[in-house]
Amino acid sequence: MTKPLFDKIALIGIGLIGGSIALAARRGGLATRIVAATRSEETAATANRLKLVDHCGTDLAAACEDADLVIVCTPVGACGEAARTIAPRLKPGCIVSDVGSVKQAVVDAMKPHLPAGVHFVPAHPVAGTENSGPEAGFAELFDGRWTILTPLPDSDPAAVDKLETFWKALGSLTQRLDPADHDRILAITSHLPHLIAYAIVGTADDLAGHLNSEVLRFAAGGFRDFTRIAASDPTMWRDVFMNNREAVLETLGRFQEDLFYLQRAIRWGEGDKLFELFTRTREIRRALIHLNQA
Ligand code: NAP
């Protein structure tokens, strides 16, 4: 039997992403021992009942004792405080990573707390669902999906390679990016679509008030898809927007210009402009299916 990649893995936070990492790591035989720590007794009890890990407690620092890999799986806004709490118990040579949907702000929040001799390699699995909490985790979440690693200029190359091997073994495809580039790309591919979904469902709900709920009763395909996205975790998404402010505002500005272009085309009856855009976007959808990411 081959030796597991890591002796001990510690997950700080055990919701959808932490739980899925635990299950996928166990499926792949990637660690001798997997432990977790979370904020609440209730989540810890659920993680233990579901046997997601060998043990889940509420002492974040204690969980990291002797760990070879620590992954912070909390909302982005809690990563800095988690790093500060666990720092004194991190073993020299340990790899510390995270899964945050924003990278530069997480790097800025975590890095100052991490002691020398610990290898910090931030990462973001671009895979998820609108569900959260330990019961939402499943082993197949990362299969065939991208995980973006955003190593820092001083990240240890061997640690980066090892974390990349880990994510591949969890089922992911991997890509390395600069943290700021990651944030700009995700602003348009993930953050803005969520913002639009939150806005459109809110607008429809306000309208429903005036129209005696008819709007929500007749919710059809497109709107239903938006409601699924708009059911995503409020804490997680508040933190994303508070921590990727610049890139989101820049992208939102461009998007508003494009919306005005469409508004004008509709007002002036310029159907050709609409047709041209809708044809181009249809091709994008087909290309996406071709890339197997739809
Ligand atoms: P989740 O299901 O809500 O789980 C969050 C975990 O973090 C829970 O264990 C929670 O503990 C803990 N936590 C929350 N606030 C904390 C705090 N202040 N201090 C310590 N622990 C805290 O969230 P998730 O969906 O797994 O997301 C986790 C991270 O993954 C986020 O940074 C998110 O940006 C990123 N991500 C999410 C997705 C997605 O689609 N959901 C995809 C990719 C990356 P308690 O339950 O005990 O309070």
Side-chain angles (χ1 to χ4, degrees):
M1 218 175 87
T2 51
K3 203 170 161 296
L5 202 53
F6 293 100
D7 190 25
K8 177 179 170 184
I9 296 177
L11 302 168
I12 302 304
I14 185 106
L16 168 69
I17 301 294
S20 298
I21 292 175
L23 292 170
R26 184 170 293 156
R27 178 187 69 176
L30 305 183
T32 314
R33 218 159 90 80
I34 307 175
V35 302
T38 186
R39 181 175 53 173
S40 70
E41 295 284 354
E42 192 189 345
T43 298
T46 306
N48 286 321
R49 175 173 54 79
L50 297 171
K51 297 189 173 29
L52 294 178
V53 288
D54 295 307
H55 175 71
C56 184
T58 53
D59 186 335
L60 308 193
C64 297
E65 193 97 51
D66 292 326
D68 307 286
L69 171 64
V70 173
I71 308 181
V72 175
C73 305
T74 66
V76 165
C79 289
E81 182 57 23
R84 194 186 66 76
T85 307
I86 64 176
R89 306 282 273 275
L90 294 170
K91 170 170 101 171
C94 162
I95 298 174
V96 175
S97 189
D98 75 299
V99 292
S101 307
V102 177
K103 295 280 44 104
Q104 191 61 59
V106 169
V107 170
D108 295 345
M110 288 182 69
K111 195 163 191 282
H113 299 296
L114 298 175
V118 160
H119 305 304
F120 182 37
V121 188
H124 173 211
V126 188
T129 72
E130 68 279 18
N131 302 317
S132 49
E135 279 162 326
F138 58 103
E140 299 78 21
L141 178 62
F142 310 112
D143 288 350
R145 310 303 301 273
W146 289 98
T147 291
I148 300 170
L149 285 85
T150 59
L152 307 176
D154 59 354
S155 289
D156 174 50
V160 180
D161 286 348
K162 196 165 181 185
L163 190 72
E164 189 163 25
T165 302
F166 175 74
W167 275 105
K168 283 185 172 149
L170 292 183
S172 272
L173 308 165
T174 59
Q175 167 91 40
R176 299 183 188 189
L177 281 179
D178 173 76
D181 286 345
H182 166 280
D183 291 351
R184 278 192 289 269
I185 293 168
L186 270 290
I188 180 67
T189 58
S190 170
H191 305 169
L192 190 62
H194 276 82
L195 195 68
I196 292 166
Y198 283 124
I200 209 166
V201 175
T203 304
D205 189 39
D206 293 343
L207 271 177
H210 298 121
L211 298 173
N212 294 328
S213 295
E214 297 300 284
V215 173
L216 294 181
R217 180 173 318 152
F218 298 124
F223 184 74
R224 266 180 200 278
D225 292 345
F226 278 122
T227 61
R228 185 185 59 75
I229 298 173
S232 299
D233 190 71
T235 305
M236 170 188 158
W237 283 98
R238 176 202 63 198
D239 284 9
V240 166
F241 292 115
M242 292 297 97
N243 287 281
N244 198 20
R245 202 177 306 213
E246 253 176 62
V248 169
L249 289 177
E250 156 71 20
T251 314
L252 191 57
R254 283 173 180 243
F255 177 70
Q256 279 168 334
E257 285 174 22
D258 291 343
L259 265 189
F260 283 133
Y261 171 84
L262 293 178
Q263 188 178 21
R264 199 182 151 79
I266 294 168
R267 187 184 308 286
W268 294 102
E270 297 170 332
D272 53 330
K273 287 190 173 162
L274 301 181
F275 189 82
E276 188 198 331
L277 176 68
F278 299 168
T279 308
R280 188 150 59 91
T281 54
R282 187 179 231 194
E283 287 309 314
I284 293 169
R285 168 73 185 175
R286 286 179 179 156
L288 203 66
I289 290 171
H290 187 65
L291 288 169
N292 204 16
Q293 289 295 308

